[in-house]
Amino acid sequence: GYGLWFEPKENLHLDTSIPSVYALGLIGYDVKDSVNAIAAFKRHFRQDSTKTITEADRSVMYQLIQNKFYH
């Protein structure tokens, strides 16, 4: 109960026209250094140390954006 957590869902994901770095900015990451922003997101929300954004990552981003702006 201390923070938000979302599991990837196949039916919930960012539209392919939305850049991942833009989505990270929407959820509060400093995207001046996009590589570090991606790494920080993946470490926190995905427990992953890779620097490649996957569809699962984009699903979590989508859910975070929905929660931030629509709840």
Side-chain angles (χ1 to χ4, degrees):
Y2 292 102
L4 296 174
W5 190 259
F6 296 100
E7 292 296 329
K9 296 182 180 173
E10 286 187 32
N11 63 330
L12 298 175
H13 54 83
L14 288 174
D15 186 277
T16 57
S17 67
I18 300 171
S20 298
V21 174
Y22 179 77
L24 289 173
L26 287 175
I27 56 178
Y29 282 88
D30 179 356
V31 294
K32 290 177 196 157
D33 183 339
S34 60
V35 173
N36 282 340
I38 291 168
F41 167 80
K42 292 197 55 119
R43 277 192 311 267
H44 182 79
F45 287 102
R46 303 290 296 138
Q47 289 77 54
D48 182 355
S49 61
T50 65
K51 294 183 174 108
T52 303
I53 296 291
T54 66
E55 282 305 308
D57 300 330
R58 291 176 61 81
S59 173
V60 172
M61 287 178 198
Y62 175 83
Q63 293 174 76
L64 287 165
I65 291 168
Q66 291 297 310
N67 187 73
K68 180 175 182 171
F69 291 104
Y70 300 109
H71 288 112

